[in-house]
Amino acid sequence: MRPEYDLLVIGGGPGGALAASTAAEAGLSVGLVEKRPAIGVPIRCAEGVGRDLLEEFMDPDPAWISAEIDRAVIVAPDGYRMSLEPSMAGSEVGYVIDRKRFDRELVMRAGEAGADIQVKTRAILPIMENGTVCGARIEQNGHVQDVRARVVVAADGIESKFSRWCGVDTTVPLAEIETCVQYLMTGIDIDEAATVFHLGNEIAPEGYVWVFPKGPRTANVGIGISGRKSRDGHRPIDYLNRFVRSNFPDGRVVEWIMGGVSVCPPLEKTVADGLMIVGDAARVSDPITGGGIYNAMFTGRLAAQVAADAIAKGDVSAGALMPYDSGWRTSKLGSALRRNYRIKEYFIRLTDEKLNRLVHSISRLDLAKFSTLEIIKELIRHDPGLLLELKAIRELL
Amino acid sequence: MLVIRREICGYCGCCVSVCPRGALELIDAYLSVEGECSSCGICARACPLGALEVADEA
Ligand SMILES: Cc1cc2nc3c(=O)[nH]c(=O)nc-3n(C[C@H](O)[C@H](O)[C@H](O)COP(=O)(O)OP(=O)(O)OC[C@H]3O[C@@H](n4cnc5c(N)ncnc54)[C@H](O)[C@@H]3O)c2cc1C
């Protein structure tokens, strides 16, 4: 690392990579540090991403696409399977990717654009002067170095410690962390073109079980449940083992994946003097699905664009960086996050009986497009009884 | 006192995100607890595998 950059990025996930490549392409000098020895490993993800969303950033490449998805199946607590067909395929079908290769590809692109990359290098402290973030102290193999920067981008994922060290409270409430375990399984009978979601308080309290195809007879089989539902004997690992025993008893597990994903509202403020917070670190993953790959890429890119502008104007105060914060909040992503948070708050209170009724109702809908928004809109039109219950959500549509 | 059962820990960082005091830090496969831990047990609830335990102080 050089002693000084225009932009210093903490974290080499999709958020950090997009910030680094966008900034380098805009002509800024950029350094990116990733504390793990390998980009994207171990993975903390089910690897599903919407087609439209991904293609906003890049063309799909067989090198990192594991499976193409054109159908989603929702399984109600009573076992009833509802299929959402290709004819109604919208933004929520797409690809299951290979994040080990995908994340590395994104970081390599940042490198090609001119960013300096250093792995196995951890930011251990911010450099602060008069309340302004001016860089970070980094450490690699016991060697400590101060790196100064006009703007620091905190893209350090779910842990989000860097912003905390700068004075921003990033704590995720226990009830709003989805605690997850996933097995990469082979030798199982699956529909290779469908993502499957299992709902129910017995199966996954305040969460869901997913089966995301990774290729022939291979899938990510995982679960997320609310932290407040997790305790000894009722942890994600216990629920997953139960699910696997009854659904894929003959499958082989070739990888364990653990992780946490936040379903809380985003941070109240994602900028400070000299600091911008992106991706999971800013708590912008989707409150319903837990999806955050696109959200990280979107916020990472926008942060770099605003940083380039602010640096050119010679003002990196929180006020000057604010167009980033208001930019993502007023974007389609920002309004989806607000709406989906409210919908999630409604969904987690449903009994299995109500969930059954909902899924059965949805299956009778004539959906033009498969998206959460479309489903809720149609539900309200279809089931007058539900109208009352969904009233709180209705005003958000 | 917070006990980390290393034979169980999957070093995923889920616990780090819920600690109200920022007392947990993850370096590769090694999770550590710093001085500010109040033994509140929130991290132990959040752990997907059950690797964390608040032990009574003897
Ligand atoms: C089980 C599970 C399943 C999921 N499934 C999906 C899915 O199907 N689809 C989807 O879209 N999203 C999914 N997500 C969410 C998705 O993985 C995240 O939203 C996404 O990775 C966020 O990208 P990011 O760049 O913000 O953070 P990350 O990808 O987490 O990257 C942050 C990086 O920062 C590094 N870092 C942390 N601290 C420091 C430091 N001090 N110094 C240097 N580096 C540091 C970390 O090592 C890490 O590599 C899932 C998450 C989990 C846990």
Side-chain angles (χ1 to χ4, degrees):
Chain A
M1 285 276 126
R2 285 194 248 150
E4 195 166 348
Y5 290 97
D6 293 325
L7 197 78
L8 177 64
V9 180
I10 316 294
L18 259 289
S21 57
T22 307
E25 279 157 15
L28 299 187
S29 63
V30 181
L32 180 150
V33 291
E34 165 55 54
K35 73 174 170 183
R36 299 189 199 160
I39 299 291
V41 181
I43 69 160
R44 283 26 186 126
C45 191
E47 307 178 296
V49 64
R51 182 173 292 135
D52 302 352
L53 300 178
L54 182 71
E55 287 172 4
E56 200 180 306
F57 288 93
M58 56 217 286
D59 292 328
D61 181 342
W64 43 257
I65 301 263
S66 298
E68 253 186 89
I69 304 302
D70 54 25
R71 208 160 45 248
V73 174
I74 297 177
V75 184
D78 64 4
Y80 177 80
R81 296 171 81 88
M82 174 190 86
S83 182
L84 296 156
E85 293 302 322
S87 57
M88 49 177 104
S91 62
E92 286 171 38
V93 291
Y95 303 103
V96 178
I97 60 176
D98 179 347
R99 283 222 32 207
K100 288 172 192 166
R101 304 185 78 170
F102 179 76
D103 284 24
R104 186 164 56 187
E105 166 75 20
L106 293 181
V107 168
M108 281 168 33
R109 285 185 187 199
E112 272 161 35
D116 282 348
I117 315 281
Q118 210 172 285
V119 296
K120 202 177 182 294
T121 301
R122 188 169 64 104
I124 55 174
L125 261 187
I127 300 170
M128 307 270 296
E129 282 167 16
N130 305 318
T132 298
V133 180
C134 302
R137 176 161 293 176
I138 62 170
E139 190 221 324
Q140 184 188 48
N141 286 349
H143 174 72
V144 174
Q145 182 192 351
D146 281 351
V147 179
R148 296 185 63 88
R150 310 290 302 281
V151 174
V152 176
V153 172
D156 49 346
I158 193 68
E159 298 166 46
S160 197
K161 291 280 297 269
F162 192 83
S163 310
R164 187 191 278 275
W165 296 329
C166 298
V168 181
D169 184 6
T170 58
T171 312
V172 177
L174 180 64
E176 297 194 310
I177 189 81
E178 287 290 304
T179 167
C180 309
V181 182
Q182 171 178 284
Y183 293 151
L184 175 57
M185 297 191 73
T186 65
I188 56 177
D189 285 325
I190 50 157
D191 177 346
E192 274 172 49
T195 47
V196 184
F197 302 82
H198 295 257
L199 307 178
N201 291 295
E202 300 294 319
I203 293 169
E206 298 189 17
Y208 62 89
V209 166
W210 62 83
V211 180
F212 285 8
K214 286 282 284 177
R217 297 178 60 75
T218 305
N220 286 331
V221 181
I223 183 174
I225 66 171
S226 162
R228 74 171 147 207
K229 297 288 181 183
S230 168
R231 63 200 142 83
D232 281 339
H234 298 268
R235 293 189 185 275
I237 185 78
D238 305 311
Y239 284 99
L240 182 62
N241 284 336
R242 215 171 306 149
F243 179 85
V244 164
R245 262 197 307 275
S246 56
N247 289 273
F248 304 117
D250 301 323
R252 305 280 188 273
V253 175
V254 294
E255 189 168 334
W256 281 38
I257 290 131
M258 281 68 66
V261 59
S262 69
V263 292
C264 56
L267 296 182
E268 266 166 42
K269 210 171 161 207
T270 53
V271 294
D273 295 331
L275 176 72
M276 306 173 97
I277 313 169
V278 307
D280 274 13
R283 312 313 186 199
V284 293
S285 44
D286 187 275
I288 296 180
T289 63
I293 301 170
Y294 169 81
N295 308 11
M297 293 169 77
F298 182 89
T299 51
R301 178 176 63 183
L302 183 62
Q305 288 163 345
V306 171
D309 210 40
I311 289 168
K313 290 181 181 138
D315 181 0
V316 296
S317 64
L321 300 177
M322 204 53 194
Y324 159 65
D325 188 280
S326 47
W328 70 255
R329 271 182 224 278
T330 53
S331 71
K332 238 170 101 177
L333 169 68
S335 51
L337 289 175
R338 277 191 299 280
R339 183 187 70 232
N340 289 358
Y341 183 77
R342 299 275 294 272
I343 296 174
K344 176 214 79 169
E345 288 291 283
Y346 166 76
F347 267 98
I348 59 171
R349 291 195 187 91
L350 294 178
T351 59
D352 278 2
E353 208 178 14
K354 282 250 176 71
L355 269 174
N356 286 331
R357 185 171 148 213
L358 257 176
V359 177
H360 288 260
S361 298
I362 295 173
S363 70
R364 287 190 295 267
L365 298 178
D366 185 19
L367 289 175
K369 193 167 178 265
F370 170 45
S371 73
T372 322
L373 178 61
E374 212 57 35
I375 289 174
I376 304 284
K377 273 186 180 166
E378 281 301 317
L379 266 179
I380 288 166
R381 219 180 330 222
H382 176 82
D383 190 334
L386 281 172
L387 185 79
L388 220 59
E389 291 171 28
L390 292 172
K391 207 169 152 239
I393 295 173
R394 205 171 147 224
E395 68 207 42
L396 299 167
L397 302 179
Chain B
M1 196 186 71
L2 188 69
V3 176
I4 301 167
R5 299 181 60 187
R6 301 203 180 277
E7 72 281 17
I8 298 179
C9 177
Y11 39 93
C12 68
C14 184
C15 57
V16 177
S17 71
V18 294
C19 174
R21 300 206 172 184
L24 292 161
E25 177 74 355
L26 183 65
I27 305 176
D28 290 330
Y30 196 89
L31 179 72
S32 55
V33 194
E34 285 147 26
E36 306 83 357
C37 174
S38 69
S39 299
C40 69
I42 291 175
C43 57
R45 293 283 300 280
C47 177
L49 302 178
L52 299 169
E53 210 168 55
V54 179
D56 290 338
E57 240 134 316

